[in-house]
Amino acid sequence: MIRIIAPLIGLGFAFVLVLGLFGTLTSEAQPETAEHEFHEHPKKLDLASNGVFGKFDNQQLQRGFQVYKEVCAACHSLKYVAFRDLAALGYSEAEVAAIADDYQVPSVNPDTGEAATRDGVAADRFPLVYPNEVAARAANNNAIPPDLSLMTKARHDGAAYVYSLLTGYQPTVPAEVTQKYPEFQVSPGLNYNPYFPTLALAMAPPLVADNQVTYADGTPATVDQMAKDVAAFLVWTAEPKLAARHTAGLASVLFILIFTGLAWGSYKTIWRDKKH
């Protein structure tokens, strides 16, 4: 029985491999599209948090939070971030309380039991911009603005993608695209951006001009700088313990190296007088 089944299993595997190869060749033979050819890889972005020795630049994170609060918060939520978490950016307890007090968070009227709102406190999380998807679609041309808490983890190239997207808007479709692919069109209500997979997205350019915000530390608020700062801030919201993780990782590697050296030394000492 085994002699009969074994060849059948082998033939089955071979058949699957042939199907996979055929599918690969078929997909490669498909005609190019504008989305495939003109979708650009994110630009390089150097942040203090990059690399195994990376750590956050709190001054930049505060600027990024300011950009989020004054520009992005009109549409995008930060539902996984609590106001008290902002203390890690260098804000004092009083400053965190003041930031929380600027927001209205969902609550319940203790007298009637009906839904109500109240001033935020440090323990609250950032409230949702829209109560549900229906409201979000109604306010954004049937598109749902994504929550930004984990955005740099949810997108390939993370912060570089965010930065490139924010600085990559173009007022019109480039001539080279329409000349090669005359069928490609950007539908009404969408905006051309080569860093978006479909080359067009519903979000209008959020950073439209220099000095859209005024930085307290005097840093020139160019569009490029604002995009870098908010991208850095979103790296922090996605992984606030990044610096601690890097420290723990380096300590672990150092421990392993030292332990390996001690173990090798012990081995040489124990077997020094032994013959193999």
Side-chain angles (χ1 to χ4, degrees), residues 22-52:
F22 179 76
T24 301
L25 294 174
T26 302
S27 62
E28 289 179 352
Q30 292 178 350
E32 290 282 344
T33 63
E35 291 84 355
H36 180 270
E37 182 174 348
F38 290 97
H39 178 221
E40 296 186 18
H41 189 77
K43 295 177 283 188
K44 183 179 179 181
L45 178 62
D46 291 322
L47 296 176
S49 56
N50 290 354
V52 296

mmCIF file of all heavy atoms in Angstrom, residues 22-52:
data_model
loop_
_atom_site.group_PDB
_atom_site.id
_atom_site.type_symbol
_atom_site.label_atom_id
_atom_site.label_comp_id
_atom_site.label_asym_id
_atom_site.label_seq_id
_atom_site.Cartn_x
_atom_site.Cartn_y
_atom_site.Cartn_z
ATOM 1 N N PHE A 22 3.173 27.793 -13.453
ATOM 2 C CA PHE A 22 2.321 28.307 -14.527
ATOM 3 C C PHE A 22 1.662 29.616 -14.117
ATOM 4 O O PHE A 22 1.589 30.567 -14.887
ATOM 5 C CB PHE A 22 1.254 27.267 -14.883
ATOM 6 C CG PHE A 22 0.307 27.720 -15.964
ATOM 7 C CD1 PHE A 22 0.692 27.742 -17.297
ATOM 8 C CD2 PHE A 22 -0.977 28.153 -15.629
ATOM 9 C CE1 PHE A 22 -0.186 28.161 -18.283
ATOM 10 C CE2 PHE A 22 -1.854 28.582 -16.604
ATOM 11 C CZ PHE A 22 -1.463 28.583 -17.941
ATOM 12 N N GLY A 23 1.208 29.666 -12.833
ATOM 13 C CA GLY A 23 0.580 30.891 -12.344
ATOM 14 C C GLY A 23 1.543 32.050 -12.310
ATOM 15 O O GLY A 23 1.197 33.184 -12.635
ATOM 16 N N THR A 24 2.803 31.767 -11.934
ATOM 17 C CA THR A 24 3.830 32.819 -11.893
ATOM 18 C C THR A 24 4.103 33.354 -13.285
ATOM 19 O O THR A 24 4.183 34.564 -13.505
ATOM 20 C CB THR A 24 5.130 32.271 -11.282
ATOM 21 O OG1 THR A 24 4.865 31.799 -9.969
ATOM 22 C CG2 THR A 24 6.185 33.363 -11.228
ATOM 23 N N LEU A 25 4.250 32.447 -14.248
ATOM 24 C CA LEU A 25 4.504 32.869 -15.623
ATOM 25 C C LEU A 25 3.338 33.656 -16.185
ATOM 26 O O LEU A 25 3.515 34.646 -16.903
ATOM 27 C CB LEU A 25 4.785 31.635 -16.499
ATOM 28 C CG LEU A 25 6.075 30.864 -16.185
ATOM 29 C CD1 LEU A 25 6.152 29.601 -17.030
ATOM 30 C CD2 LEU A 25 7.294 31.743 -16.406
ATOM 31 N N THR A 26 2.124 33.241 -15.820
ATOM 32 C CA THR A 26 0.935 33.948 -16.305
ATOM 33 C C THR A 26 0.874 35.350 -15.745
ATOM 34 O O THR A 26 0.581 36.319 -16.446
ATOM 35 C CB THR A 26 -0.336 33.171 -15.918
ATOM 36 O OG1 THR A 26 -0.262 31.860 -16.459
ATOM 37 C CG2 THR A 26 -1.574 33.870 -16.454
ATOM 38 N N SER A 27 1.170 35.484 -14.419
ATOM 39 C CA SER A 27 1.114 36.806 -13.803
ATOM 40 C C SER A 27 2.186 37.721 -14.372
ATOM 41 O O SER A 27 1.974 38.917 -14.541
ATOM 42 C CB SER A 27 1.285 36.677 -12.278
ATOM 43 O OG SER A 27 2.549 36.137 -11.969
ATOM 44 N N GLU A 28 3.359 37.162 -14.686
ATOM 45 C CA GLU A 28 4.419 37.987 -15.237
ATOM 46 C C GLU A 28 4.088 38.443 -16.653
ATOM 47 O O GLU A 28 4.569 39.469 -17.127
ATOM 48 C CB GLU A 28 5.733 37.199 -15.240
ATOM 49 C CG GLU A 28 6.309 36.977 -13.841
ATOM 50 C CD GLU A 28 7.585 36.171 -13.878
ATOM 51 O OE1 GLU A 28 7.925 35.673 -14.969
ATOM 52 O OE2 GLU A 28 8.231 36.031 -12.824
ATOM 53 N N ALA A 29 3.241 37.647 -17.331
ATOM 54 C CA ALA A 29 2.900 37.988 -18.706
ATOM 55 C C ALA A 29 1.800 39.039 -18.794
ATOM 56 O O ALA A 29 1.495 39.539 -19.872
ATOM 57 C CB ALA A 29 2.467 36.732 -19.459
ATOM 58 N N GLN A 30 1.171 39.367 -17.655
ATOM 59 C CA GLN A 30 0.103 40.352 -17.652
ATOM 60 C C GLN A 30 0.660 41.717 -18.037
ATOM 61 O O GLN A 30 1.794 42.065 -17.710
ATOM 62 C CB GLN A 30 -0.545 40.430 -16.273
ATOM 63 C CG GLN A 30 -1.330 39.172 -15.910
ATOM 64 C CD GLN A 30 -1.927 39.260 -14.523
ATOM 65 O OE1 GLN A 30 -1.617 40.170 -13.757
ATOM 66 N NE2 GLN A 30 -2.788 38.325 -14.189
ATOM 67 N N PRO A 31 -0.150 42.526 -18.738
ATOM 68 C CA PRO A 31 0.325 43.841 -19.169
ATOM 69 C C PRO A 31 0.594 44.771 -17.992
ATOM 70 O O PRO A 31 -0.037 44.672 -16.942
ATOM 71 C CB PRO A 31 -0.836 44.347 -20.032
ATOM 72 C CG PRO A 31 -2.035 43.598 -19.547
ATOM 73 C CD PRO A 31 -1.523 42.244 -19.166
ATOM 74 N N GLU A 32 1.555 45.648 -18.152
ATOM 75 C CA GLU A 32 1.878 46.640 -17.124
ATOM 76 C C GLU A 32 0.714 47.613 -16.954
ATOM 77 O O GLU A 32 -0.056 47.862 -17.880
ATOM 78 C CB GLU A 32 3.137 47.405 -17.524
ATOM 79 C CG GLU A 32 4.410 46.581 -17.472
ATOM 80 C CD GLU A 32 4.919 46.407 -16.058
ATOM 81 O OE1 GLU A 32 4.473 47.151 -15.166
ATOM 82 O OE2 GLU A 32 5.751 45.508 -15.839
ATOM 83 N N THR A 33 0.601 48.147 -15.749
ATOM 84 C CA THR A 33 -0.414 49.158 -15.475
ATOM 85 C C THR A 33 0.266 50.410 -14.968
ATOM 86 O O THR A 33 1.418 50.372 -14.511
ATOM 87 C CB THR A 33 -1.421 48.668 -14.423
ATOM 88 O OG1 THR A 33 -0.720 48.441 -13.185
ATOM 89 C CG2 THR A 33 -2.098 47.374 -14.864
ATOM 90 N N ALA A 34 -0.440 51.521 -15.024
ATOM 91 C CA ALA A 34 0.116 52.777 -14.526
ATOM 92 C C ALA A 34 0.422 52.663 -13.041
ATOM 93 O O ALA A 34 1.442 53.161 -12.560
ATOM 94 C CB ALA A 34 -0.869 53.912 -14.783
ATOM 95 N N GLU A 35 -0.465 51.982 -12.299
ATOM 96 C CA GLU A 35 -0.260 51.829 -10.866
ATOM 97 C C GLU A 35 1.014 51.054 -10.569
ATOM 98 O O GLU A 35 1.727 51.361 -9.607
ATOM 99 C CB GLU A 35 -1.463 51.102 -10.242
ATOM 100 C CG GLU A 35 -2.753 51.915 -10.229
ATOM 101 C CD GLU A 35 -3.512 51.818 -11.550
ATOM 102 O OE1 GLU A 35 -2.989 51.201 -12.500
ATOM 103 O OE2 GLU A 35 -4.611 52.371 -11.635
ATOM 104 N N HIS A 36 1.311 50.071 -11.384
ATOM 105 C CA HIS A 36 2.509 49.261 -11.158
ATOM 106 C C HIS A 36 3.775 50.005 -11.553
ATOM 107 O O HIS A 36 4.782 49.982 -10.839
ATOM 108 C CB HIS A 36 2.391 47.946 -11.945
ATOM 109 C CG HIS A 36 3.569 47.045 -11.772
ATOM 110 N ND1 HIS A 36 4.673 47.095 -12.597
ATOM 111 C CD2 HIS A 36 3.832 46.081 -10.847
ATOM 112 C CE1 HIS A 36 5.555 46.192 -12.201
ATOM 113 N NE2 HIS A 36 5.073 45.561 -11.151
ATOM 114 N N GLU A 37 3.738 50.675 -12.684
ATOM 115 C CA GLU A 37 4.949 51.310 -13.205
ATOM 116 C C GLU A 37 5.294 52.618 -12.505
ATOM 117 O O GLU A 37 6.471 52.924 -12.295
ATOM 118 C CB GLU A 37 4.794 51.568 -14.708
ATOM 119 C CG GLU A 37 6.030 52.194 -15.345
ATOM 120 C CD GLU A 37 5.937 52.314 -16.850
ATOM 121 O OE1 GLU A 37 5.016 51.712 -17.435
ATOM 122 O OE2 GLU A 37 6.786 53.014 -17.443
ATOM 123 N N PHE A 38 4.301 53.394 -12.136
ATOM 124 C CA PHE A 38 4.573 54.739 -11.607
ATOM 125 C C PHE A 38 4.405 54.845 -10.087
ATOM 126 O O PHE A 38 4.514 55.932 -9.539
ATOM 127 C CB PHE A 38 3.678 55.764 -12.311
ATOM 128 C CG PHE A 38 4.058 55.974 -13.749
ATOM 129 C CD1 PHE A 38 3.381 55.302 -14.767
ATOM 130 C CD2 PHE A 38 5.104 56.813 -14.096
ATOM 131 C CE1 PHE A 38 3.739 55.486 -16.101
ATOM 132 C CE2 PHE A 38 5.469 57.007 -15.419
ATOM 133 C CZ PHE A 38 4.784 56.333 -16.428
ATOM 134 N N HIS A 39 4.140 53.724 -9.433
ATOM 135 C CA HIS A 39 4.104 53.739 -7.974
ATOM 136 C C HIS A 39 5.532 53.822 -7.461
ATOM 137 O O HIS A 39 6.347 52.941 -7.721
ATOM 138 C CB HIS A 39 3.423 52.481 -7.439
ATOM 139 C CG HIS A 39 3.405 52.410 -5.947
ATOM 140 N ND1 HIS A 39 3.647 51.243 -5.251
ATOM 141 C CD2 HIS A 39 3.205 53.362 -5.006
ATOM 142 C CE1 HIS A 39 3.585 51.472 -3.966
ATOM 143 N NE2 HIS A 39 3.320 52.761 -3.781
ATOM 144 N N GLU A 40 5.866 54.866 -6.731
ATOM 145 C CA GLU A 40 7.239 55.111 -6.297
ATOM 146 C C GLU A 40 7.504 54.561 -4.898
ATOM 147 O O GLU A 40 6.636 54.569 -4.029
ATOM 148 C CB GLU A 40 7.542 56.613 -6.329
ATOM 149 C CG GLU A 40 7.482 57.215 -7.721
ATOM 150 C CD GLU A 40 7.925 58.671 -7.732
ATOM 151 O OE1 GLU A 40 8.595 59.087 -6.759
ATOM 152 O OE2 GLU A 40 7.599 59.386 -8.693
ATOM 153 N N HIS A 41 8.739 54.110 -4.711
ATOM 154 C CA HIS A 41 9.170 53.643 -3.391
ATOM 155 C C HIS A 41 9.383 54.852 -2.490
ATOM 156 O O HIS A 41 9.856 55.894 -2.934
ATOM 157 C CB HIS A 41 10.473 52.859 -3.521
ATOM 158 C CG HIS A 41 10.875 52.161 -2.263
ATOM 159 N ND1 HIS A 41 10.283 50.993 -1.837
ATOM 160 C CD2 HIS A 41 11.813 52.466 -1.326
ATOM 161 C CE1 HIS A 41 10.842 50.615 -0.699
ATOM 162 N NE2 HIS A 41 11.765 51.486 -0.358
ATOM 163 N N PRO A 42 8.995 54.753 -1.200
ATOM 164 C CA PRO A 42 9.154 55.893 -0.295
ATOM 165 C C PRO A 42 10.567 56.454 -0.260
ATOM 166 O O PRO A 42 11.556 55.721 -0.391
ATOM 167 C CB PRO A 42 8.759 55.313 1.070
ATOM 168 C CG PRO A 42 7.807 54.225 0.726
ATOM 169 C CD PRO A 42 8.331 53.622 -0.539
ATOM 170 N N LYS A 43 10.643 57.759 -0.082
ATOM 171 C CA LYS A 43 11.937 58.428 0.027
ATOM 172 C C LYS A 43 12.619 58.053 1.358
ATOM 173 O O LYS A 43 11.954 57.700 2.323
ATOM 174 C CB LYS A 43 11.730 59.952 -0.038
ATOM 175 C CG LYS A 43 11.202 60.435 -1.370
ATOM 176 C CD LYS A 43 10.935 61.934 -1.358
ATOM 177 C CE LYS A 43 9.642 62.271 -0.634
ATOM 178 N NZ LYS A 43 9.265 63.704 -0.780
ATOM 179 N N LYS A 44 13.927 58.155 1.365
ATOM 180 C CA LYS A 44 14.671 57.853 2.580
ATOM 181 C C LYS A 44 14.384 58.913 3.636
ATOM 182 O O LYS A 44 14.306 60.104 3.343
ATOM 183 C CB LYS A 44 16.173 57.809 2.284
ATOM 184 C CG LYS A 44 17.029 57.418 3.482
ATOM 185 C CD LYS A 44 18.507 57.362 3.118
ATOM 186 C CE LYS A 44 19.348 56.989 4.325
ATOM 187 N NZ LYS A 44 20.801 56.953 4.005
ATOM 188 N N LEU A 45 14.207 58.463 4.865
ATOM 189 C CA LEU A 45 13.927 59.379 5.966
ATOM 190 C C LEU A 45 14.827 59.039 7.143
ATOM 191 O O LEU A 45 14.761 57.950 7.701
ATOM 192 C CB LEU A 45 12.457 59.276 6.387
ATOM 193 C CG LEU A 45 12.031 60.155 7.560
ATOM 194 C CD1 LEU A 45 12.200 61.637 7.234
ATOM 195 C CD2 LEU A 45 10.589 59.856 7.963
ATOM 196 N N ASP A 46 15.678 59.978 7.510
ATOM 197 C CA ASP A 46 16.585 59.783 8.644
ATOM 198 C C ASP A 46 15.949 60.369 9.906
ATOM 199 O O ASP A 46 15.720 61.577 10.000
ATOM 200 C CB ASP A 46 17.928 60.466 8.376
ATOM 201 C CG ASP A 46 18.722 59.775 7.267
ATOM 202 O OD1 ASP A 46 18.678 58.541 7.208
ATOM 203 O OD2 ASP A 46 19.356 60.485 6.452
ATOM 204 N N LEU A 47 15.670 59.501 10.858
ATOM 205 C CA LEU A 47 15.121 59.922 12.138
ATOM 206 C C LEU A 47 16.034 59.457 13.262
ATOM 207 O O LEU A 47 16.790 58.491 13.106
ATOM 208 C CB LEU A 47 13.718 59.335 12.346
ATOM 209 C CG LEU A 47 12.620 59.773 11.372
ATOM 210 C CD1 LEU A 47 11.324 59.016 11.667
ATOM 211 C CD2 LEU A 47 12.385 61.272 11.459
ATOM 212 N N ALA A 48 15.956 60.141 14.390
ATOM 213 C CA ALA A 48 16.789 59.771 15.535
ATOM 214 C C ALA A 48 16.467 58.364 16.025
ATOM 215 O O ALA A 48 17.308 57.699 16.635
ATOM 216 C CB ALA A 48 16.582 60.779 16.671
ATOM 217 N N SER A 49 15.248 57.889 15.747
ATOM 218 C CA SER A 49 14.816 56.571 16.223
ATOM 219 C C SER A 49 15.244 55.438 15.300
ATOM 220 O O SER A 49 15.016 54.263 15.617
ATOM 221 C CB SER A 49 13.291 56.546 16.374
ATOM 222 O OG SER A 49 12.657 56.906 15.155
ATOM 223 N N ASN A 50 15.863 55.752 14.171
ATOM 224 C CA ASN A 50 16.284 54.710 13.227
ATOM 225 C C ASN A 50 17.454 53.902 13.784
ATOM 226 O O ASN A 50 18.286 54.419 14.539
ATOM 227 C CB ASN A 50 16.703 55.331 11.892
ATOM 228 C CG ASN A 50 15.527 55.890 11.115
ATOM 229 O OD1 ASN A 50 14.375 55.729 11.498
ATOM 230 N ND2 ASN A 50 15.814 56.554 10.012
ATOM 231 N N GLY A 51 17.547 52.643 13.376
ATOM 232 C CA GLY A 51 18.694 51.817 13.722
ATOM 233 C C GLY A 51 18.615 51.195 15.099
ATOM 234 O O GLY A 51 17.757 51.534 15.918
ATOM 235 N N VAL A 52 19.540 50.288 15.372
ATOM 236 C CA VAL A 52 19.532 49.565 16.650
ATOM 237 C C VAL A 52 19.905 50.459 17.822
ATOM 238 O O VAL A 52 19.617 50.129 18.976
ATOM 239 C CB VAL A 52 20.487 48.350 16.595
ATOM 240 C CG1 VAL A 52 20.017 47.336 15.583
ATOM 241 C CG2 VAL A 52 21.909 48.788 16.276
#
